[in-house]
Amino acid sequence: MAEETNCNHKCDGCGKEGCQQRDMHEKLHEGSSVKKVIAIISGKGGVGKSLVTSLLAAGIHKAGYRTAILDADITGPSIPTAFGLSEEKAEGGVMTGKDGKQMEYLKPVTSAGGVQIMSMNFLLQHETDPVIWRGPVISGAVRQFWTDVVWDNVDFMFVDCPPGTGDVPLTVFQSIPVDGIIVVASPQQLVRVIVEKAVNMANMMNIPILGLIENMSYVKCPDCGREIKVFGESNIEGIAKDFGLKVLARIPIEQKMSVTVDNGEVESLSEGYVDDASAAIEALLTKQ
């Protein structure tokens, strides 16, 4: 305990193994500024993490904050499509660092509404080119999106993680200073297991969970307005209570939203799908 108390937090050259105070985070590019990082995760695929990430980034940006998306789903990125950036390419160059040395950098692509985005699709010759990489290489690319990209004065960065609790989410949590996590789920019966896996991982990494967002919650009847529970009655409120979490939003299945996102116009959606989640994130910015 005395050794931990006397720690000077200078990890380079320390040599101490298993130190709980060791900062494993990668260094942000010196030309970048990112205030808060929110990771969007789930215990399984197909629940709509990319949709939630896009809605949050667009919504918070409209509220007056500078937002960005780090698309950590290297092998299956869909963020560029939602923002109408399928044909865009990331630009790079060389700059002089504070120590006088030359360093390479990449610039994120900026959406029509002003959201800064970095995705693997921006580095491929064709967006349909497959990324056939093993886990360590994929994890390395995620780290480079943090270390080599010049993020311009970002208030909130949203990290769209691939499903599960494997290499990439672990890389995000260990390499990037994540301030909070939002867990995305759907109303199926297996949601408890999905949420519990994500919650347990977040707790093991000692990262606070801002709350849950349920996607595909219901379909609203166009004639009478009744909410039709396609997947049956949701258990999300009970599950949230069991884990001491908040339900930040319940997003419906809507043809309009689906078509709008497919057309690359997610920023044009004006409905308050994630208002509660946005409020929670805004509160995080001002939290001391």
Side-chain angles (χ1 to χ4, degrees):
M1 183 65 70
E3 291 182 358
E4 292 182 0
T5 301
N6 295 327
C7 175
N8 61 11
H9 302 286
K10 296 180 180 180
C11 297
D12 293 341
C14 170
K16 183 179 179 181
E17 298 294 333
C19 176
Q20 297 299 312
Q21 300 188 55
R22 181 177 294 275
D23 187 358
M24 302 293 289
H25 296 149
E26 297 285 348
K27 185 179 179 181
L28 185 66
H29 193 285
E30 68 175 49
S32 297
S33 173
V34 179
K35 294 178 182 177
K36 298 289 184 181
V37 180
I38 311 296
I40 312 300
I41 69 170
S42 177
K44 69 178 292 293
V47 298
K49 290 181 302 301
S50 295
L51 170 64
V52 169
T53 303
S54 300
L55 290 173
L56 288 172
I60 291 291
H61 189 81
K62 289 176 182 177
Y65 297 100
R66 296 176 63 88
T67 61
I69 297 176
L70 190 159
D71 189 355
D73 196 347
I74 301 297
T75 60
S78 56
I79 295 293
T81 299
F83 284 86
L85 302 172
S86 297
E87 303 300 321
E88 299 294 328
K89 303 299 177 189
E91 297 180 0
V94 177
M95 63 183 293
T96 302
K98 295 178 181 178
D99 57 1
K101 294 182 179 179
Q102 298 294 298
M103 58 172 56
E104 295 182 352
Y105 70 90
L106 284 170
K107 291 179 64 178
V109 174
T110 302
S111 71
V115 178
Q116 300 173 50
I117 302 171
M118 189 62 206
S119 174
M120 191 66 206
N121 269 12
F122 298 149
L123 302 176
L124 301 176
Q125 185 174 1
H126 305 290
E127 68 168 341
T128 55
D129 291 344
V131 178
I132 309 174
W133 293 347
R134 294 192 183 276
V137 181
I138 294 173
S139 296
V142 173
R143 286 193 292 269
Q144 284 186 285
F145 283 178
W146 176 256
T147 61
D148 295 0
V149 175
V150 177
W151 300 98
D152 183 17
N153 194 27
V154 174
D155 292 316
F156 287 109
M157 172 182 284
F158 297 90
V159 182
D160 183 24
C161 293
T165 54
D167 281 348
V168 173
L170 183 60
T171 296
V172 169
F173 294 158
Q174 289 184 330
S175 303
I176 299 175
V178 177
D179 295 282
I181 292 170
I182 290 178
V183 180
V184 182
S186 55
Q188 291 107 318
Q189 286 296 322
L190 51 75
V191 68
R192 172 173 287 277
V193 176
I194 297 169
V195 171
E196 190 162 0
K197 283 179 180 291
V199 168
N200 287 341
M201 183 177 191
N203 289 336
M204 290 174 67
M205 303 305 297
N206 197 31
I207 301 173
I209 301 173
L210 300 181
L212 309 178
I213 290 181
E214 183 179 74
N215 189 32
M216 300 178 285
S217 289
Y218 57 89
V219 174
K220 184 170 289 189
C221 176
D223 295 323
C224 67
R226 183 171 67 90
E227 294 183 1
I228 302 170
K229 308 297 174 49
V230 178
F231 297 104
E233 288 297 325
S234 171
N235 298 312
I236 196 71
E237 294 289 349
I239 294 170
K241 184 178 180 180
D242 290 345
F243 290 105
L245 302 173
K246 295 180 180 179
V247 177
L248 300 176
R250 295 174 66 242
I251 302 174
I253 301 172
E254 286 189 355
Q255 183 182 30
K256 174 187 174 183
M257 178 165 57
S258 178
V259 171
T260 301
V261 173
D262 287 346
N263 288 339
E265 300 171 347
V266 67
E267 291 170 294
S268 71
L269 290 170
S270 58
E271 290 80 356
Y273 297 110
V274 291
D275 284 350
D276 290 342
S278 297
I281 293 169
E282 286 189 54
L284 181 64
L285 181 70
T286 58
K287 183 178 179 181
Q288 299 299 320

